[in-house]
Amino acid sequence: NGPIVAGQRAQAERTITMPIKVGDTLPNTTFRVMTAEGPKPKPSEEVFKGRKVVLFAVPGAFTPTCSKNHLPGFVKNASAIKAKGIDAIAVTAVNDPFVMAAWKDAAGSDDIEFLADGSADFAKAVGLELDASAGGLGIRSKRYCMVVDDGVVKSLAIEDVPGKADVSGADALLKSL
């Protein structure tokens, strides 16, 4: 009886997070960002409250599609995106703040906020985690782009394949704004 009850309890305690959708409010989680004093926590509410933010997510910093396609499009189009009434552009990845800071330096852009989601807390909370364990990458974030207005999702484009940045890229976003 013990093992069955324990198994049933574990099953009951497991929560299934449905992917976030347009109209939903983002959950409160904490990112990590690099500062002059080192890594610091940054609550998601601080990122989104009172602002219109484009948030795009990538499976991993320095990975081919992320570094050669997804991020460069947002760096190149940051001014055009902000001219459409966007207050900030942010990128998140399941990487630590040191890697995200190095990726920011490599990109050469101060127009984008780099938000480390090292334990995939945000990715899991919005139901957009990606299990890339088969490729040795563990739990990551799906590739997507969303427009968030004061914490509420106004648009969301999720890639069907991690190696593509078509519907979630800067060009597609610009056309939708």
Side-chain angles (χ1 to χ4, degrees):
N1 188 1
I4 293 171
V5 171
Q8 289 171 338
R9 182 174 35 247
Q11 182 68 25
E13 289 173 357
R14 228 177 272 154
T15 57
I16 298 171
T17 305
M18 298 300 293
I20 199 154
K21 61 189 180 310
V22 172
D24 288 350
T25 299
L26 291 178
N28 291 322
T29 62
T30 302
F31 296 108
R32 300 278 185 257
V33 295
M34 189 58 72
T35 70
E37 296 81 37
K40 299 286 184 199
K42 186 164 190 169
S44 57
E45 182 181 53
E46 188 179 315
V47 176
F48 301 106
K49 188 174 183 173
R51 304 194 308 166
K52 194 169 188 179
V53 179
V54 166
L55 175 69
F56 68 103
V58 299
F62 293 111
T63 57
T65 302
C66 305
S67 289
K68 294 178 184 170
N69 184 350
H70 212 182
L71 176 61
F74 283 94
V75 170
K76 176 183 164 196
N77 291 297
S79 295
I81 292 168
K82 289 181 178 180
K84 299 272 188 172
I86 300 298
D87 297 311
I89 303 168
V91 60
T92 185
V94 180
N95 290 109
D96 65 65
F98 296 98
V99 169
M100 293 299 280
W103 200 34
K104 177 181 180 173
D105 289 345
S109 176
D110 288 326
D111 293 324
I112 298 173
E113 297 176 36
F114 286 70
L115 306 171
D117 186 23
S119 298
D121 292 338
F122 184 80
K124 291 173 186 174
V126 295
L128 294 172
E129 72 274 13
L130 168 71
D131 187 348
S133 298
L137 299 173
I139 301 299
R140 297 294 179 134
S141 175
K142 289 184 178 181
R143 184 182 309 281
Y144 63 85
C145 180
M146 64 172 70
V147 176
V148 181
D149 192 353
D150 196 22
V152 177
V153 178
K154 296 300 182 181
S155 71
L156 175 62
I158 306 169
E159 296 292 346
D160 58 354
V161 177
K164 292 187 344 189
D166 299 330
V167 300
S168 66
D171 291 335
L173 172 72
L174 270 170
K175 290 176 186 170
S176 73
L177 290 175

